[in-house]
């Protein structure tokens, strides 16, 4: 009979990666640029199938309007700038370097950055997109 330790390791390996959250675009900006998205700890898949791949989760909190909130802040792998709906891009012509996500009630907030340094607050974002669970 295997020990509990080995059983837990087997269960962890069988579980695989985290499941993606499917989110519906709420704001006009999200509806016209990203469409609905699928979001997990590895990437965002946009409404047109384009992806933004993350390198690392770099923080678990973030400052919004002067308040510290639980959040996920990701570095983007290779600073990407995918073409999205209607030829739009997340930050215009500049590649995205970081993404921060947090909840505001039932709304998922997604801030994107084109900065060389990791953001600690929403102050330097180039765009903000909002989503809800469908």
């Amino acid at each position: 009979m295997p020990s509990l330790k080995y059983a837990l390791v087997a269960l962890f390996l069988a579980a695989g990666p985290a499941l993606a959250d499917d989110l519906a675009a709420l704001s006009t900006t999200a509806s016209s640029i990203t469409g609905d998205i699928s979001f997990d700890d590895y990437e965002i898949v946009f409404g047109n199938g384009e992806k933004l791949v993350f390198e690392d989760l770099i923080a678990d909190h973030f400052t919004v309007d002067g308040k510290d909130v639980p959040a996920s802040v990701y570095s983007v792998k290779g600073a990407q700038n995918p073409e999205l709906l209607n030829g739009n891009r997340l930050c215009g012509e500049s590649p995205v370097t970081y993404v921060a996500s947090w909840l505001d009630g039932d709304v998922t907030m997604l801030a994107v950055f084109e900065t060389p340094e990791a953001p600690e607050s929403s102050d330097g974002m180039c765009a903000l997109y909002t989503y809800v669970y469908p």
Side-chain angles (χ1 to χ4, degrees):
M1 181 174 191
S3 72
L4 179 60
K5 175 180 169 184
Y6 293 115
L8 290 174
V9 169
L11 180 63
F12 175 75
L13 292 174
L19 296 176
D21 285 330
D22 292 326
L23 300 169
L26 177 63
S27 62
T28 302
T29 307
S31 295
S32 63
I33 295 177
T34 69
D36 296 345
I37 63 171
S38 181
F39 186 133
D40 63 24
D41 283 337
Y42 306 102
E43 66 186 6
I44 300 172
V45 179
F46 300 101
N48 68 348
E50 290 290 323
K51 296 178 181 181
L52 188 70
V53 179
F54 302 138
E55 180 132 12
D56 289 310
L57 175 65
I58 60 169
D60 61 2
H61 65 278
F62 193 67
T63 302
V64 178
D65 296 328
K67 295 182 182 181
D68 191 53
V69 298
S72 296
V73 182
Y74 300 94
S75 59
V76 173
K77 189 172 189 174
Q80 303 163 51
N81 196 15
E83 186 173 326
L84 303 175
L85 301 177
N86 306 308
N88 290 305
R89 297 179 188 273
L90 291 169
C91 280
E93 294 304 313
S94 298
V96 176
T97 53
Y98 296 93
V99 172
S101 176
W102 68 95
L103 285 175
D104 185 2
D106 292 335
V107 177
T108 298
M109 311 296 282
L110 183 73
V112 291
F113 297 84
E114 56 189 2
T115 58
E117 24 339 281
E120 295 180 4
S121 76
S122 59
D123 291 342
M125 67 184 166
C126 61
L128 179 67
Y129 301 92
T130 59
Y131 304 90
V132 292
Y133 285 98

